[in-house]
Amino acid sequence: LSILDPPSSQYIEPSKMMKKAAAVLLCIASTTVNGFQVTSGLTRIGGDSIPSLNGPTSFQLFESSPNTETDSDATVSKAQGILDEFHASNLPFRIVVIGNGAILETTSKLGPKSKSSVSPKTGDKLLTFASEDASFEFHVKVDQITKITFVTSERPLPDGESKTMRVSRFLNEKGEPMCSLILADSSDESAQWFDGMNERYGQEVNL
């Protein structure tokens, strides 16, 4: 049929055709993107419902997770603050943990991963330091620490020389050692870091 000479019942003015075409394009473009969320629905044009090309009414790229407590929300204890400084130093330590009938020793940095959590079984607050692949994990029940000491001493060597030992001990309420962190780097920068901790906190920190 010619637009210029159609039957009156099927005649569509060019201006109306343009308006309807524009409305269809507007419908297709009406889906909004807000961050990671795409919201879509049904748009009505001239009484007809046109489903969105994007499917469901609401799509979210990442599912929202329940609120979890982070260090920014929680009260950071002095003991945790000191351990966080050990983590931030990026220095290696000889870690000595004395258990009931066993002693564990290893040399590692405290990290690079660090996480504060609460044990679901005991309710104890745990501070965890771990390697990238989690082959090394060091868990500390931080609220059980009641004293931290910083000790510098000289250890004689078989050849008659001596080695400077820089040791941090973490004690519980009974005065028993929970663990010791022995600085395993003898560089001047490492010594300055340890001496700075000693000056800032003193040789004994009572918590």
mmCIF file of all heavy atoms in Angstrom, residues 31-55:
data_model
loop_
_atom_site.group_PDB
_atom_site.id
_atom_site.type_symbol
_atom_site.label_atom_id
_atom_site.label_comp_id
_atom_site.label_asym_id
_atom_site.label_seq_id
_atom_site.Cartn_x
_atom_site.Cartn_y
_atom_site.Cartn_z
ATOM 1 N N THR A 31 16.255 0.142 29.888
ATOM 2 C CA THR A 31 16.884 -0.624 30.964
ATOM 3 C C THR A 31 18.038 0.182 31.540
ATOM 4 O O THR A 31 18.857 0.710 30.814
ATOM 5 C CB THR A 31 17.420 -1.962 30.436
ATOM 6 O OG1 THR A 31 16.338 -2.704 29.920
ATOM 7 C CG2 THR A 31 18.095 -2.759 31.544
ATOM 8 N N THR A 32 18.112 0.308 32.870
ATOM 9 C CA THR A 32 19.127 1.138 33.512
ATOM 10 C C THR A 32 20.201 0.273 34.126
ATOM 11 O O THR A 32 19.954 -0.821 34.599
ATOM 12 C CB THR A 32 18.483 2.012 34.608
ATOM 13 O OG1 THR A 32 17.877 1.153 35.576
ATOM 14 C CG2 THR A 32 17.450 2.934 34.028
ATOM 15 N N VAL A 33 21.406 0.778 34.115
ATOM 16 C CA VAL A 33 22.533 0.115 34.743
ATOM 17 C C VAL A 33 22.992 0.984 35.892
ATOM 18 O O VAL A 33 23.320 2.127 35.714
ATOM 19 C CB VAL A 33 23.680 -0.098 33.730
ATOM 20 C CG1 VAL A 33 24.874 -0.745 34.410
ATOM 21 C CG2 VAL A 33 23.209 -0.931 32.557
ATOM 22 N N ASN A 34 22.971 0.408 37.100
ATOM 23 C CA ASN A 34 23.353 1.148 38.298
ATOM 24 C C ASN A 34 24.433 0.359 39.010
ATOM 25 O O ASN A 34 24.170 -0.566 39.731
ATOM 26 C CB ASN A 34 22.120 1.341 39.193
ATOM 27 C CG ASN A 34 22.443 2.161 40.409
ATOM 28 O OD1 ASN A 34 23.506 2.765 40.482
ATOM 29 N ND2 ASN A 34 21.541 2.168 41.360
ATOM 30 N N GLY A 35 25.716 0.727 38.828
ATOM 31 C CA GLY A 35 26.801 -0.037 39.406
ATOM 32 C C GLY A 35 26.865 -1.398 38.768
ATOM 33 O O GLY A 35 27.012 -1.539 37.566
ATOM 34 N N PHE A 36 26.701 -2.460 39.600
ATOM 35 C CA PHE A 36 26.714 -3.830 39.108
ATOM 36 C C PHE A 36 25.314 -4.370 38.945
ATOM 37 O O PHE A 36 25.120 -5.545 38.793
ATOM 38 C CB PHE A 36 27.486 -4.731 40.072
ATOM 39 C CG PHE A 36 28.949 -4.433 40.109
ATOM 40 C CD1 PHE A 36 29.535 -3.914 41.235
ATOM 41 C CD2 PHE A 36 29.734 -4.662 39.004
ATOM 42 C CE1 PHE A 36 30.891 -3.646 41.269
ATOM 43 C CE2 PHE A 36 31.089 -4.401 39.034
ATOM 44 C CZ PHE A 36 31.657 -3.888 40.171
ATOM 45 N N GLN A 37 24.360 -3.543 39.095
ATOM 46 C CA GLN A 37 22.983 -4.052 39.056
ATOM 47 C C GLN A 37 22.266 -3.532 37.822
ATOM 48 O O GLN A 37 22.342 -2.359 37.485
ATOM 49 C CB GLN A 37 22.226 -3.587 40.304
ATOM 50 C CG GLN A 37 20.819 -4.148 40.388
ATOM 51 C CD GLN A 37 20.180 -3.853 41.720
ATOM 52 O OE1 GLN A 37 20.819 -3.316 42.601
ATOM 53 N NE2 GLN A 37 18.931 -4.189 41.863
ATOM 54 N N VAL A 38 21.605 -4.448 37.112
ATOM 55 C CA VAL A 38 20.804 -4.079 35.952
ATOM 56 C C VAL A 38 19.347 -4.286 36.300
ATOM 57 O O VAL A 38 18.953 -5.372 36.686
ATOM 58 C CB VAL A 38 21.173 -4.940 34.720
ATOM 59 C CG1 VAL A 38 20.315 -4.562 33.540
ATOM 60 C CG2 VAL A 38 22.653 -4.786 34.382
ATOM 61 N N THR A 39 18.573 -3.229 36.214
ATOM 62 C CA THR A 39 17.155 -3.317 36.567
ATOM 63 C C THR A 39 16.322 -3.195 35.315
ATOM 64 O O THR A 39 16.523 -2.278 34.522
ATOM 65 C CB THR A 39 16.768 -2.193 37.544
ATOM 66 O OG1 THR A 39 17.646 -2.250 38.664
ATOM 67 C CG2 THR A 39 15.344 -2.349 38.003
ATOM 68 N N SER A 40 15.400 -4.127 35.098
ATOM 69 C CA SER A 40 14.563 -4.097 33.905
ATOM 70 C C SER A 40 13.156 -4.517 34.261
ATOM 71 O O SER A 40 12.874 -4.984 35.344
ATOM 72 C CB SER A 40 15.136 -5.029 32.835
ATOM 73 O OG SER A 40 15.196 -6.349 33.339
ATOM 74 N N GLY A 41 12.238 -4.361 33.282
ATOM 75 C CA GLY A 41 10.869 -4.739 33.555
ATOM 76 C C GLY A 41 10.029 -4.628 32.303
ATOM 77 O O GLY A 41 10.529 -4.738 31.198
ATOM 78 N N LEU A 42 8.732 -4.378 32.433
ATOM 79 C CA LEU A 42 7.838 -4.231 31.294
ATOM 80 C C LEU A 42 7.549 -2.759 31.082
ATOM 81 O O LEU A 42 7.266 -2.029 32.010
ATOM 82 C CB LEU A 42 6.525 -4.975 31.559
ATOM 83 C CG LEU A 42 6.645 -6.496 31.723
ATOM 84 C CD1 LEU A 42 5.272 -7.068 32.037
ATOM 85 C CD2 LEU A 42 7.206 -7.135 30.467
ATOM 86 N N THR A 43 7.630 -2.337 29.818
ATOM 87 C CA THR A 43 7.333 -0.956 29.466
ATOM 88 C C THR A 43 6.089 -0.953 28.605
ATOM 89 O O THR A 43 5.997 -1.720 27.652
ATOM 90 C CB THR A 43 8.511 -0.330 28.694
ATOM 91 O OG1 THR A 43 9.688 -0.454 29.486
ATOM 92 C CG2 THR A 43 8.232 1.134 28.398
ATOM 93 N N ARG A 44 5.177 -0.099 28.945
ATOM 94 C CA ARG A 44 3.905 -0.066 28.220
ATOM 95 C C ARG A 44 3.956 1.032 27.165
ATOM 96 O O ARG A 44 4.294 2.164 27.451
ATOM 97 C CB ARG A 44 2.740 0.180 29.175
ATOM 98 C CG ARG A 44 2.608 -0.900 30.243
ATOM 99 C CD ARG A 44 1.393 -0.662 31.109
ATOM 100 N NE ARG A 44 0.149 -0.831 30.359
ATOM 101 C CZ ARG A 44 -0.431 -1.997 30.159
ATOM 102 N NH1 ARG A 44 0.105 -3.105 30.637
ATOM 103 N NH2 ARG A 44 -1.542 -2.095 29.474
ATOM 104 N N ILE A 45 3.619 0.671 25.925
ATOM 105 C CA ILE A 45 3.539 1.634 24.833
ATOM 106 C C ILE A 45 2.202 1.448 24.149
ATOM 107 O O ILE A 45 1.899 0.390 23.619
ATOM 108 C CB ILE A 45 4.674 1.429 23.806
ATOM 109 C CG1 ILE A 45 6.022 1.657 24.470
ATOM 110 C CG2 ILE A 45 4.500 2.354 22.628
ATOM 111 C CD1 ILE A 45 7.181 1.466 23.523
ATOM 112 N N GLY A 46 1.391 2.477 24.186
ATOM 113 C CA GLY A 46 0.106 2.411 23.510
ATOM 114 C C GLY A 46 -0.754 1.277 24.004
ATOM 115 O O GLY A 46 -1.485 0.683 23.229
ATOM 116 N N GLY A 47 -0.624 0.926 25.297
ATOM 117 C CA GLY A 47 -1.446 -0.125 25.864
ATOM 118 C C GLY A 47 -0.858 -1.508 25.719
ATOM 119 O O GLY A 47 -1.392 -2.461 26.256
ATOM 120 N N ASP A 48 0.267 -1.665 24.954
ATOM 121 C CA ASP A 48 0.877 -2.969 24.771
ATOM 122 C C ASP A 48 2.070 -3.111 25.698
ATOM 123 O O ASP A 48 2.878 -2.201 25.840
ATOM 124 C CB ASP A 48 1.354 -3.158 23.324
ATOM 125 C CG ASP A 48 0.183 -3.152 22.367
ATOM 126 O OD1 ASP A 48 -0.890 -3.628 22.782
ATOM 127 O OD2 ASP A 48 0.347 -2.656 21.237
ATOM 128 N N SER A 49 2.212 -4.265 26.328
ATOM 129 C CA SER A 49 3.344 -4.530 27.201
ATOM 130 C C SER A 49 4.445 -5.174 26.388
ATOM 131 O O SER A 49 4.227 -6.183 25.722
ATOM 132 C CB SER A 49 2.936 -5.464 28.349
ATOM 133 O OG SER A 49 1.978 -4.830 29.164
ATOM 134 N N ILE A 50 5.645 -4.589 26.449
ATOM 135 C CA ILE A 50 6.786 -5.125 25.706
ATOM 136 C C ILE A 50 7.798 -5.633 26.705
ATOM 137 O O ILE A 50 8.325 -4.865 27.511
ATOM 138 C CB ILE A 50 7.423 -4.027 24.820
ATOM 139 C CG1 ILE A 50 6.383 -3.513 23.817
ATOM 140 C CG2 ILE A 50 8.656 -4.559 24.107
ATOM 141 C CD1 ILE A 50 6.902 -2.423 22.926
ATOM 142 N N PRO A 51 8.095 -6.937 26.732
ATOM 143 C CA PRO A 51 9.064 -7.446 27.688
ATOM 144 C C PRO A 51 10.462 -6.917 27.414
ATOM 145 O O PRO A 51 10.833 -6.710 26.276
ATOM 146 C CB PRO A 51 9.000 -8.963 27.498
ATOM 147 C CG PRO A 51 8.253 -9.209 26.245
ATOM 148 C CD PRO A 51 7.561 -7.956 25.842
ATOM 149 N N SER A 52 11.217 -6.711 28.488
ATOM 150 C CA SER A 52 12.582 -6.238 28.357
ATOM 151 C C SER A 52 13.432 -7.304 27.694
ATOM 152 O O SER A 52 13.240 -8.498 27.878
ATOM 153 C CB SER A 52 13.145 -5.903 29.740
ATOM 154 O OG SER A 52 14.546 -5.769 29.671
ATOM 155 N N LEU A 53 14.453 -6.871 26.965
ATOM 156 C CA LEU A 53 15.366 -7.799 26.330
ATOM 157 C C LEU A 53 16.332 -8.420 27.334
ATOM 158 O O LEU A 53 17.043 -9.357 27.002
ATOM 159 C CB LEU A 53 16.185 -7.073 25.250
ATOM 160 C CG LEU A 53 15.365 -6.467 24.109
ATOM 161 C CD1 LEU A 53 16.297 -5.732 23.162
ATOM 162 C CD2 LEU A 53 14.599 -7.551 23.371
ATOM 163 N N ASN A 54 16.370 -7.889 28.549
ATOM 164 C CA ASN A 54 17.342 -8.348 29.529
ATOM 165 C C ASN A 54 16.794 -9.398 30.473
ATOM 166 O O ASN A 54 17.413 -9.716 31.474
ATOM 167 C CB ASN A 54 17.881 -7.169 30.329
ATOM 168 C CG ASN A 54 18.695 -6.239 29.445
ATOM 169 O OD1 ASN A 54 19.691 -6.621 28.869
ATOM 170 N ND2 ASN A 54 18.220 -5.015 29.317
ATOM 171 N N GLY A 55 15.651 -9.925 30.232
ATOM 172 C CA GLY A 55 15.152 -11.056 31.005
ATOM 173 C C GLY A 55 14.536 -10.657 32.319
ATOM 174 O O GLY A 55 13.572 -9.904 32.352
#
